Amino acid sequence: MYGDDALSFLSTLPVKRAAIVTDRFLLNTDLPGKVRNSLPEGAESVVIGNISEEPDEEQVISGMNALINFSPDWIIGLGGGSSMDTAKILFAKYERPDISVYDITPLVPLNLRKKSRLIEIPTTSGTGSECSWAAVLSEKNERRKNELASPEILPDYAILDPQMVLRLPAEQTRNTAVDAITHAVESYVSQWNNPYSDALAEKALSLILGSLERVLSEPGDVEHRSRVHIGASMAGLSFSNSQIGLAHALGHSLGAHFKMAHGRTVGLFLPHVVEYNYETSADKYEKLNSLFDSRFRGKRLQDSLRSYFRSIGQPVTIREAGIDRKAFTNSLDSLVSMAFESTGVTTNPRDAGSDEIRKLFTDAYGGV
Ligand SMILES: [Fe+2]
């Protein structure tokens, strides 16, 4: 469901008891109240609002207790990727208290939806979690994130209402949009790309590039917010039907190690990864390059990405992102080995071994 006031769709659903899963930051805004007020008359609701930026299993367990006590027939994830992913995991565990979170894999039939349904309402424009069947779960006290996935945790509905992102701060607007741009570019050339994911990636990129500057200068512009919001969701649908690549593999690793925002980290690697992949995907990269406005368009896609990122204030080197060189160098071995664990290494259009990944990390530190 998309467009201005898409939230009112909630009032048409047969909701008796809704559990709204959200984060501590949003708890202090009017957004959970807006969702509650949009539920059908007579519906009861509870807010589970303790989701952190990097939810771990302990949080899932505490959320589960609240869910079991309340016994909802609908679970609503409200927030960015962390809240929406946690809502998916809570939904699976609430339906199947007998399984471990690590049973959430595409290989195991879960038989969910015996007690409840799942809705996701993004309050950032970037992760695409509202349209994906993946969820990220951190490991407590570990600099590691687990990627869980099952077609059964794909939400029943995603509600894309620009009113939910109108007051998103500039920093998060930029970080999450850069994540969405990275989804579109990586999905487009992934080894699993297909005509369906290609169409979504192209449209996503043109919507975001056409409206993001306006959104950053006029955050209350509903029309342009809506375009970026839908574009980000389309980019999510695109990579859900294809895959991501090395910028996500390296970005996940750097973000988990240095606790940086996901979009900020994947964006640091994207121009380098495009450069690395160029020979395998030149025609497709040229097509994407043609979508950039002439103010930013360079000879190759990596040039356009760099000049566009600079213009919106996204750092283009790891150093610019504030990571100390010594800390970076000392962590390089574990950054490389952690990057290898991501599916992005497998589906990237050009193979990369540890030497290539190490070089991408070091190039991205100082810029080329
Ligand atoms: Fe991402």
Side-chain angles (χ1 to χ4, degrees), residues 28-323:
N28 299 320
T29 69
D30 61 351
L31 297 185
K34 277 190 174 179
V35 172
R36 284 181 129 161
N37 293 337
S38 303
L39 292 169
E41 232 180 280
E44 289 186 45
S45 60
V46 69
V47 176
I48 298 172
N50 62 345
I51 308 307
S52 71
E53 267 178 49
E54 296 189 331
D56 56 30
E57 206 172 348
E58 211 169 84
Q59 288 201 353
V60 171
I61 292 165
S62 86
M64 266 295 285
N65 294 334
L67 274 188
I68 288 167
N69 286 339
F70 183 70
S71 183
D73 57 353
W74 289 79
I75 294 173
I76 302 176
L78 171 72
S82 304
S83 297
M84 290 193 286
D85 284 3
T86 307
K88 290 177 187 172
I89 299 168
L90 278 172
F91 166 66
K93 282 282 289 173
Y94 170 64
E95 290 280 326
R96 289 286 309 274
D98 55 313
I99 62 166
S100 146
V101 289
Y102 299 106
D103 290 329
I104 304 175
T105 87
L107 309 172
V108 179
L110 299 174
N111 295 315
L112 308 183
R113 292 175 173 76
K114 299 285 187 278
K115 298 192 260 190
S116 59
R117 298 267 189 252
L118 177 66
I119 300 175
E120 298 284 18
I121 307 175
T123 63
T124 65
S125 306
T127 70
S129 174
E130 70 279 3
C131 290
S132 89
W133 48 303
V136 175
L137 185 68
S138 295
E139 266 181 50
K140 198 174 172 67
N141 303 326
E142 294 270 338
R143 292 176 169 184
R144 165 181 305 280
K145 294 184 178 189
N146 295 297
E147 296 168 16
L148 312 177
S150 161
E152 295 182 57
I153 60 170
L154 183 73
D156 294 274
Y157 294 103
I159 300 182
L160 306 173
D161 189 329
Q163 296 293 336
M164 307 307 277
V165 287
L166 276 192
R167 273 171 285 165
L168 184 68
E171 177 76 13
Q172 279 168 282
T173 301
R174 181 169 39 242
N175 284 341
T176 50
V178 168
D179 185 25
I181 290 170
T182 310
H183 292 155
V185 173
E186 295 216 290
S187 158
Y188 201 59
V189 298
S190 146
Q191 290 202 26
W192 295 358
N193 78 76
N194 55 76
Y196 186 80
S197 62
D198 281 0
L200 288 161
E202 283 176 24
K203 187 65 183 176
L205 194 61
S206 68
L207 282 169
I208 297 166
L209 293 178
S211 290
L212 181 59
E213 284 177 281
R214 172 79 179 178
V215 161
L216 289 169
S217 64
E218 291 284 336
D221 187 320
V222 176
E223 169 83 26
H224 288 272
R225 278 279 188 194
S226 196
R227 289 173 148 259
V228 173
H229 207 37
I230 292 170
S233 204
M234 289 177 117
L237 268 175
S238 177
F239 87 82
S240 290
N241 288 281
S242 169
Q243 257 301 336
I244 32 79
L246 280 178
H248 267 80
L250 275 67
H252 273 157
S253 170
L254 189 78
H257 199 89
F258 289 101
K259 306 283 177 212
M260 282 171 69
H262 172 75
R264 199 170 162 90
T265 57
V266 295
L268 291 171
F269 296 108
L270 185 62
H272 295 277
V273 169
V274 169
E275 198 165 335
Y276 176 75
N277 291 341
Y278 211 91
E279 63 191 58
T280 66
S281 313
D283 290 351
K284 294 194 93 173
Y285 281 154
E286 268 161 40
K287 169 90 189 176
L288 293 187
N289 199 26
S290 72
L291 301 176
F292 280 80
D293 185 275
S294 58
R295 288 174 295 141
F296 308 113
R297 197 183 315 130
K299 193 158 175 276
R300 291 190 159 182
L301 179 60
Q302 62 266 34
D303 308 318
S304 309
L305 284 166
R306 284 197 183 100
S307 97
Y308 183 74
F309 285 168
R310 280 203 183 93
S311 83
I312 61 167
Q314 152 77 12
V316 295
T317 67
I318 297 174
R319 185 177 48 203
E320 275 175 37
I323 292 177

